[in-house]
């Protein structure tokens, strides 16, 4: 037995209009019962405490803990050439990833 206020006919007709559904596809009483059940689910969900901050589930980052924004020297080209044999003319040679149609 549901404890929520039942959907009246006018509200159901407004819902049907807004959702672009036609009552001809199903019995109006069956549809009213289904809408009442859906509204009842919201009553069940509203019983749960939602005062908890949803952002507490995610780790926070303190701005002071981030690294300094300073320029540091990168790798020299001679060092990069030692890492791989697939380095040619200043670029890394990689396998083709696009299909034949591209």
């Amino acid at each position: 037995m549901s404890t929520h206020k039942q959907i009246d006919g006018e509200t159901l007709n407004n819902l049907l209009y807004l959702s672009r559904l036609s009552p001809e596809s199903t019995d109006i009483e069956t549809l009213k019962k289904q809408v009442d059940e859906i509204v009842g689910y919201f009553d069940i969900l509203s019983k749960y405490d939602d005062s908890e901050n949803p952002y507490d589930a995610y780790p926070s980052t303190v701005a002071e803990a981030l690294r300094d924004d300073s320029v540091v020297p990168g790798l020299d080209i001679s060092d990069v050439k030692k890492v791989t044999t697939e380095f040619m003319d200043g670029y890394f040679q990689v396998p083709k990833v696009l299909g034949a149609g591209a």
Side-chain angles (χ1 to χ4, degrees):
M1 180 60 98
S2 63
T3 59
H4 67 280
K5 182 179 174 184
Q6 298 289 315
I7 301 295
D8 62 350
E10 181 182 352
T11 304
L12 182 61
N13 285 332
N14 289 338
L15 287 172
L16 289 171
Y17 174 76
L18 290 172
S19 62
R20 304 294 192 254
L21 295 174
S22 70
E24 292 87 29
S25 62
T26 185
D27 180 34
I28 196 75
E29 287 303 316
T30 303
L31 192 60
K32 183 181 180 315
K33 181 182 172 199
Q34 291 173 344
V35 170
D36 282 334
E37 288 175 1
I38 292 170
V39 171
Y41 293 136
F42 285 103
D43 288 341
I44 293 169
L45 291 174
S46 67
K47 293 178 184 177
Y48 291 98
D49 181 25
D50 64 347
S51 62
E52 182 179 310
N53 186 351
Y55 297 106
D56 289 343
Y58 303 102
S60 62
T61 304
V62 180
E64 291 80 27
L66 297 176
R67 65 178 170 83
D68 292 333
D69 190 17
S70 58
V71 179
V72 295
L75 295 174
D76 289 330
I77 296 296
S78 60
D79 293 334
V80 174
K81 287 181 180 179
K82 293 178 188 174
V83 173
T84 180
T85 60
E86 302 296 324
F87 189 78
M88 185 171 52
D89 296 331
Y91 297 99
F92 287 100
Q93 185 178 357
V94 296
K96 185 175 180 179
V97 292
L98 299 175

